[in-house]
Amino acid sequence: MATDRFSPLPVVRAHLLALTKRDYSSTTVTARGYDWVALIALILIPSLVGAVAWLLSWRLATVDALLEGSALLVGGLIAGFAQIAAWRDRLTAAAQKEGIAGVSKRDSLDESVAHTLMAVYAAVVLTVLLAIDANVLAGSGAKGEVTPLSQLLSSLTLASSAYLTLLVLLVLANLWSAYSDNNDVPARMGGAE
């Protein structure tokens, strides 16, 4: 179907699969279930931020700078995806050439790609919400008045921002893991033993 090209479901699926714990101790990699702490944090924290914003009637004072920042973030995340994909490609080529397994290293990069692409979706949603807030609602209501629609947009914007922040933190942790494993960073510098 032609609409499958616009479907975010493969990225969402990869994002959820990246939130599983894996066992690398044997010759085959086995999934040990979801990382429930990360999964619950990704759902609960943005939901709480959005709920608090709604209950306290928070309204973003200005969205222009946030709109520009979120649009730049989309581009930066896409560039980050390209860099991670190139790193993954070099790691795979080196593993094939030298006969190194390196599955856990590649998994960290694969997880980072899934989370990065999910962050791109979140940043696009954030950009759309901010654009609607800046352009559609700019003339509605008195200056500073909190309408139900502006309250909803602010709540969704803050929840999306919280989700995006958590995704960036996930990517950073995965990238550090892949970097320190791949480059044998010593324990005194924060690497694995």
Side-chain angles (χ1 to χ4, degrees):
M1 202 160 35
T3 57
D4 288 346
R5 293 178 188 204
F6 295 104
S7 176
L9 293 179
V11 173
V12 172
R13 182 176 182 272
H15 170 59
L16 291 174
L17 289 173
L19 293 171
T20 57
K21 294 180 179 178
R22 290 177 200 80
D23 182 11
Y24 297 101
S25 58
S26 64
T27 56
T28 61
V29 180
T30 55
R32 295 187 296 134
Y34 282 106
D35 181 353
W36 289 106
V37 173
L39 194 57
I40 289 170
L42 282 171
I43 295 168
L44 191 62
I45 292 172
S47 298
L48 286 175
V49 168
V52 168
W54 177 265
L55 292 173
L56 297 180
S57 299
W58 288 349
R59 177 75 177 102
L60 296 173
T62 180
V63 297
D64 296 342
L66 294 172
L67 180 58
E68 293 166 5
S70 66
L72 285 171
L73 185 59
V74 169
L77 287 167
I78 291 172
F81 159 74
Q83 185 64 36
I84 297 167
W87 189 12
R88 167 63 156 92
D89 192 41
R90 286 193 304 268
L91 188 60
T92 301
Q96 289 172 347
K97 181 180 177 184
E98 299 173 17
I100 303 169
V103 174
S104 66
K105 299 171 188 176
R106 291 191 302 262
D107 277 358
S108 288
L109 293 176
D110 292 340
E111 288 177 24
S112 296
V113 164
H115 297 318
T116 300
L117 292 177
M118 194 66 195
V120 170
Y121 276 120
V124 167
V125 167
L126 179 61
T127 302
V128 169
L129 288 170
L130 289 167
I132 292 170
D133 198 1
N135 294 304
V136 175
L137 298 178
S140 69
K143 182 122 175 113
E145 178 185 349
V146 179
T147 64
L149 188 54
S150 68
Q151 187 178 357
L152 176 65
L153 277 173
S154 291
S155 299
L156 291 173
T157 297
L158 291 169
S160 296
S161 297
Y163 187 72
L164 185 56
T165 300
L166 291 172
L167 285 176
V168 169
L169 293 175
L170 274 174
V171 169
L172 291 175
N174 282 334
L175 288 177
W176 173 250
S177 175
Y179 174 82
S180 62
D181 287 350
N182 190 44
N183 295 298
D184 298 320
V185 174
R188 65 181 165 74
M189 297 298 294
E193 300 268 355

